[in-house]
Amino acid sequence: MRGNIMAWVNSSAINWKTGYLIREECVRAILVALFLTVAAIFSVREHDPPGAASASVSPDSFSASRAVRHVAVIAEKPHPLGSTEHAVVRDYLVRELSAAGLEPQIQQATITIDKGPPLEVATVQNILARFKGTASGKAVLLVAHYDSAFNSFGASDDGLGVASLLETLRALKSGPPLKNDVVFLLTDGEENGLLGARAFAGEHPWAREVGVVLNFEARGNSGPVIMFESTDDNGWLIEQFAEAAPAPVAHSLSYEIYKLLPNDTDLTVFKQAGMSGLNFANIDGINRYHTPLDNLQGLDENSLQHQGSYALALARHFGNLDLSQTRERNAVYFDLFGNLLVRYSSVWVIPLTLFVCALFVTLLVFGLRKQKLTVRGIAWGFLSLFVSIVVASLIGWLLWKAVWMIRDGSSAEATQSRLFLWSFVCLAIATTAAVYALVRNRAGVESLAVGALLWWLILMVITTIFLPGGTFLFHWPLLFSLIGLGWMIFAPESKKRSSLVHSLVLSLCALPVIVLVVPVIYQIFIGLTLDWTLVVIAMVVLLFGLLLPHFRLITAPFKWVLPGVAVAAAVILLAAGIVTNPVNAERSSNRILYALNADTGKAVWASDLTNRDERTSQFFTGNEVKGTLADFAYAKTSKQYSLSSAPAASLPAPELSVIEDKSVDGVRALRMRVSSPRQAGLLSVYLDSNAQVVRTMLNNKVIDEAGSSNQWGLNIDGFPQQGVELQLHVRASEPLKIRLVDQSYGLPPIGGSQSNGQSQPGTATPDITFLAKSFSF
């Protein structure tokens, strides 16, 4: 009897102790998970842009509330190069600069875009003004472009940049004078190929006086403004940026990420011209980029405040420095919480790599000697992280493809959906936790951690060789992770048995990892979007490789709870993302063309008809045919459109008059005046004859003299209202037939009614109008 009682007492004590330990492990798991989650959220949220300042702030401060009135005018309508609205915006900016007391000038230049055929040129009109300093040193150049994409209101891209510069000018005039001149350059034709920047760098005398360029752009409508690019030898620039910039958001990996994007900016041209400079842009809200959604209503005034605060602070800072020597060895840099920029010379990259490698090898040797590590366990850790990356990335990629198919591939909103992002993060957590749950009994956590850290060591060495600017992302997280590993290897067992001390040490070592890596992963997601799902998920799993000891703490009570909860969360978030991200009709990819041949009186509607919707149904009723626009544009074009007969609009055709026509040694020299009475923004000239053009001149500037075949053509974007003088030197044995095609945005109302099967829209208008007219002589 007594024996039974003692057995019951012992069993109860064991059960109580076991229950206590489980409860303690559960509490510890919850606390560690909360700490990591809160730290990750905080590190991302602290990069949000500062709040917009009201119009009542001091006159020498930047105010987004004051600046946004300029955006309201600039973004009233789409204003691409050559459009009527483009001229309206240009005139407004000239008036504003004049009202600020400056003497603006317009630089008109003709720039060759492509040698073709056909030849592509453009006439651009840059707006420049100079805010005089007290000395005669190099100038600070502030740049933004004032043209928009053809279907976009351009509120963010780049009304935000232009408004920032106008408000910066006002604030500069309210403050103390600067030593250096500040040149305000509002470039034209950026969307057409950085044309205004090319004109300024190549032809304007002020370009030779520039010491530093600051370019302001946008690839979305919201989010923090990132200093995402610098010119080479940026050590001095980064030091000055760190000293002067309020709320700096920047890191030296961003330019490498930027190079993956299909984008260039005006700074590309200035870099090629040998200027030193920095590039700024907000990148959140890609669904609005180059679409009708880039409007005033969607503009984030906090982003405007952030960009303007950069422009004003840096203009003042560089405006009082000696800009004769701005180059110094490249720097490695990164921000902490969007408040402090850490920077050091790239000369430290190799020593830091060697130090971290030495620390890794030291811990490896001591760990093996102390029998805390095993080669077999390290191999399991190395393989497990690789499997986690492959499996999670593959599942994520397949799920993203499935989402894209469900949504018919028509929504850019989904590519930046936070719900989808968090779903894939949960998927990465579930995959990583499941893989390590399967191998946790095969090796100690120390060995598994070393195997995962070996991947980081390899990547650190690779970036040291090929991507030194990105080494900060591996040096510091790996260093602090090795400190945590050292604790697990060398700490007395009594300390490690104290769950509080053990958890606290590992959590503190994880903090720098999260602070550095999480914001970069988030920015990669924002910049590259979920179209790069493989990269985003791979980086998330790599991050978890640094947090394996913390995963062990979280999963200690029940190893399959975390994978199960993460899978459930991933499914719920994925479903919510599909339901709550509807396709926006304003992003319709259908471009409707109206083409009219003034010689025949024939007109058609034309479109790719990738997506039929309510708008396209007003032009195409189902009886359209496939064909080309050879009768309305370039005669040798082979692109197929869906064509529907349209009524002929009463529009004045482009005009051509011969000024001079003479022949020398079998070469016919023609000097002509070409114009567009309806003020179209683009005009094309095509030869419908078998002839060889050996020289082309536009307004007395040689465009091409290499000689071209009978496929010769010339497209002139930003076509001047006064027309152009065109000179052609031609070898031909027959009379010449020249076709002019002018192109404008939209279309005035067409008189008459629908008849003879001709489709006439109700309230909708086409995107582009072509009007062709032929001349023979």
Side-chain angles (χ1 to χ4, degrees):
M1 182 69 177
R2 183 180 177 186
N4 291 336
I5 294 174
M6 291 303 297
W8 178 83
V9 170
N10 290 334
S11 175
S12 299
I14 292 172
N15 290 336
W16 180 86
K17 186 175 182 179
T18 301
Y20 173 79
L21 291 175
I22 291 176
R23 287 193 296 273
E24 184 182 22
E25 287 180 341
C26 288
V27 171
R28 180 175 60 183
I30 293 171
L31 290 177
V32 171
L34 282 175
F35 174 82
L36 297 178
T37 302
V38 170
I41 294 173
F42 182 79
S43 66
V44 171
R45 292 298 301 271
E46 280 300 293
H47 286 82
D48 287 348
S54 70
S56 61
V57 297
S58 62
D60 61 347
S61 299
F62 187 95
S63 165
S65 298
R66 287 191 289 247
V68 77
R69 70 177 182 87
H70 298 300
V71 183
V73 178
I74 295 168
E76 183 177 357
K77 296 179 180 179
H79 45 282
L81 174 66
S83 65
T84 303
E85 291 76 16
H86 176 270
V88 171
V89 172
R90 178 201 63 212
D91 294 342
Y92 170 78
L93 297 175
V94 170
R95 289 195 304 271
E96 287 297 307
L97 291 170
S98 297
L102 303 189
E103 298 177 359
Q105 58 177 261
I106 294 178
Q107 178 201 10
Q108 181 165 309
T110 300
I111 301 296
T112 301
I113 304 172
D114 190 356
K115 291 292 187 178
L119 293 167
E120 299 273 353
V121 302
T123 300
V124 296
Q125 295 181 315
N126 290 333
I127 304 170
L128 301 98
R130 195 165 190 136
F131 180 64
K132 289 287 189 179
T134 59
S136 57
K138 291 279 189 176
V140 180
L141 179 65
L142 304 183
V143 185
H145 69 89
Y146 73 92
D147 62 309
S148 74
F150 98 96
N151 63 335
S152 172
F153 293 90
S156 296
D157 181 25
D158 193 23
L160 185 147
V162 174
S164 293
L165 298 195
L166 292 177
E167 171 65 5
T168 292
L169 171 60
R170 186 208 57 75
L172 287 176
K173 290 183 66 67
S174 300
L178 306 177
K179 292 181 180 179
N180 302 322
D181 292 358
V182 178
V183 174
F184 292 82
L185 171 61
L186 308 179
T187 60
D188 192 9
E190 192 271 353
E191 301 290 1
N192 300 72
L194 319 178
L195 306 181
R198 289 171 55 189
F200 177 79
E203 301 181 16
H204 202 283
W206 287 0
R208 296 188 294 272
E209 303 171 14
V210 172
V212 168
V213 183
L214 304 176
N215 185 59
F216 297 92
E217 262 287 1
R219 194 174 175 264
N221 72 312
S222 60
V225 176
I226 302 170
M227 195 286 287
F228 66 94
E229 181 187 11
S230 70
T231 50
D232 288 330
D233 299 321
N234 63 17
W236 184 84
L237 285 174
I238 298 303
E239 183 64 31
Q240 304 311 315
F241 173 72
E243 290 182 10
V249 178
H251 55 77
S252 46
L253 180 62
S254 59
Y255 179 49
E256 303 301 331
I257 298 172
Y258 169 72
K259 289 193 294 187
L260 297 174
L261 303 176
N263 302 94
D264 281 316
T265 69
D266 284 339
L267 188 66
T268 303
V269 175
F270 300 131
K271 286 173 63 177
Q272 294 169 351
M275 301 181 191
S276 297
L278 303 173
N279 216 353
F280 302 85
N282 57 297
I283 61 174
D284 203 352
I286 185 65
N287 60 299
R288 296 176 180 268
Y289 180 62
H290 284 184
T291 75
L293 296 173
D294 184 9
N295 52 34
L296 180 64
Q297 293 71 33
L299 179 71
D300 184 353
E301 289 191 25
N302 294 341
S303 299
L304 176 57
Q305 182 69 37
H306 200 189
Q307 189 166 98
S309 66
Y310 279 147
L312 179 58
L314 294 174
R316 282 179 172 148
H317 185 74
F318 286 115
N320 286 309
L321 296 179
D322 180 4
L323 302 180
S324 60
Q325 179 52 259
T326 59
R327 295 187 179 272
E328 191 177 283
R329 188 186 183 104
N330 278 337
V332 178
Y333 54 94
F334 55 89
D335 71 87
L336 295 177
F337 305 112
N339 287 296
L340 172 68
L341 194 75
V342 178
R343 67 277 184 193
Y344 49 89
S345 173
S346 58
V347 74
W348 288 101
V349 167
I350 293 178
L352 279 171
T353 296
L354 294 175
F355 174 75
V356 174
C357 287
L359 181 58
F360 181 90
V361 171
T362 300
L363 292 175
L364 178 64
V365 170
F366 276 96
L368 291 172
R369 286 182 178 178
K370 292 173 68 67
Q371 297 183 342
K372 293 295 184 68
L373 304 176
T374 65
V375 174
R376 184 170 178 271
I378 293 171
W380 274 113
F382 186 81
L383 180 62
S384 297
L385 188 61
F386 176 75
V387 171
S388 298
I389 291 173
V390 171
V391 173
S393 299
L394 181 60
I395 294 175
W397 181 77
L398 291 173
L399 283 175
W400 180 240
K401 289 300 178 183
V403 169
W404 202 244
M405 291 175 64
I406 291 171
R407 300 176 58 80
D408 198 25
S410 58
S411 174
E413 287 88 340
T415 64
Q416 279 196 335
S417 167
R418 274 43 169 193
L419 290 174
F420 286 137
L421 173 64
W422 304 137
S423 173
F424 292 139
V425 169
C426 289
L427 172 66
I429 292 173
T431 304
T432 307
V435 169
Y436 280 96
L438 292 172
V439 301
R440 65 185 288 178
N441 294 329
R442 297 176 181 269
V445 65
E446 295 88 352
S447 295
L448 294 175
V450 170
L453 294 181
L454 185 56
W455 280 106
W456 280 80
L457 191 78
I458 293 170
L459 292 172
M460 179 187 69
V461 173
I462 292 173
T463 54
T464 298
I465 298 171
F466 299 105
L467 203 67
T471 51
F472 75 90
L473 195 62
F474 298 94
H475 281 152
W476 304 108
L478 186 52
L479 177 61
F480 282 95
S481 295
L482 290 174
I483 293 173
L485 176 65
W487 162 263
M488 291 193 295
I489 292 175
F490 293 106
E493 287 300 323
S494 59
K495 294 291 185 182
K496 293 175 65 176
R497 283 195 296 268
S498 171
S499 60
L500 178 61
V501 174
H502 187 61
S503 300
L504 182 60
V505 171
L506 292 182
S507 297
L508 290 176
C509 290
L511 190 58
V513 173
I514 292 174
V515 167
L516 283 178
V517 180
V518 170
V520 172
I521 294 176
Y522 187 73
Q523 287 176 17
I524 289 174
F525 155 70
I526 294 297
L528 299 183
T529 74
L530 287 175
D531 287 334
W532 291 71
T533 307
L534 290 172
V535 174
V536 174
I537 293 180
M539 290 201 66
V540 171
V541 178
L542 270 175
L543 168 63
F544 295 152
L546 297 176
L547 301 176
L548 281 186
H550 309 80
F551 268 55
R552 176 59 67 88
L553 291 174
I554 294 171
T555 60
F558 308 101
K559 66 180 181 180
W560 291 106
V561 169
L562 179 61
V565 171
V567 167
V571 172
I572 293 171
L573 290 167
L574 189 67
I578 293 174
V579 172
T580 60
N581 282 278
V583 176
N584 196 307
E586 290 189 77
R587 289 193 58 90
S588 171
S589 59
N590 290 304
R591 183 180 295 190
I592 309 297
L593 312 179
Y594 174 77
L596 170 64
N597 188 312
D599 299 315
T600 64
K602 181 182 177 182
V604 296
W605 307 115
S607 177
D608 293 329
L609 281 188
T610 52
N611 294 296
R612 291 182 179 270
D613 52 29
E614 182 179 352
R615 177 170 179 259
T616 60
S617 66
Q618 297 185 55
F619 300 92
F620 302 95
T621 57
N623 58 350
E624 58 272 2
V625 298
K626 287 290 185 180
T628 71
L629 293 178
D631 292 337
F632 306 93
Y634 188 36
K636 298 178 178 62
T637 183
S638 60
K639 183 175 181 179
Q640 294 284 315
Y641 293 92
S642 293
L643 303 177
S644 178
S645 181
S650 179
L651 299 174
E655 297 178 350
L656 182 151
S657 60
V658 178
I659 302 172
E660 185 178 38
D661 184 354
K662 62 183 180 180
S663 297
V664 179
D665 297 330
V667 176
R668 188 176 180 184
L670 283 167
R671 189 157 64 94
M672 301 164 284
R673 189 75 193 172
V674 178
S675 62
S676 172
R678 67 189 190 95
Q679 303 294 297
L682 188 151
L683 188 139
S684 300
V685 187
Y686 301 116
L687 270 183
D688 289 341
S689 308
N690 290 320
Q692 181 184 14
V693 178
V694 297
R695 194 181 201 203
T696 305
M697 297 180 65
L698 192 66
N699 291 335
N700 296 314
K701 180 179 180 179
V702 176
I703 302 300
D704 181 56
E705 55 183 352
S708 62
S709 66
N710 57 7
Q711 291 185 337
W712 181 91
L714 172 65
N715 296 330
I716 308 170
D717 212 341
F719 191 76
Q721 294 182 2
Q722 69 273 21
V724 298
E725 183 178 296
L726 175 64
Q727 298 180 53
L728 298 180
H729 291 197
V730 184
R731 285 195 178 96
S733 58
E734 59 183 51
L736 290 180
K737 185 177 182 180
I738 292 179
R739 181 186 304 191
L740 300 184
V741 181
D742 66 8
Q743 174 182 325
S744 61
Y745 297 97
L747 177 68
I750 301 175
S753 60
Q754 182 173 321
S755 60
N756 299 324
Q758 295 177 341
S759 173
Q760 179 167 328
T763 58
T765 59
D767 299 296
I768 299 174
T769 295
F770 293 94
L771 177 53
K773 175 71 175 176
S774 296
F775 302 84
S776 298
F777 42 87

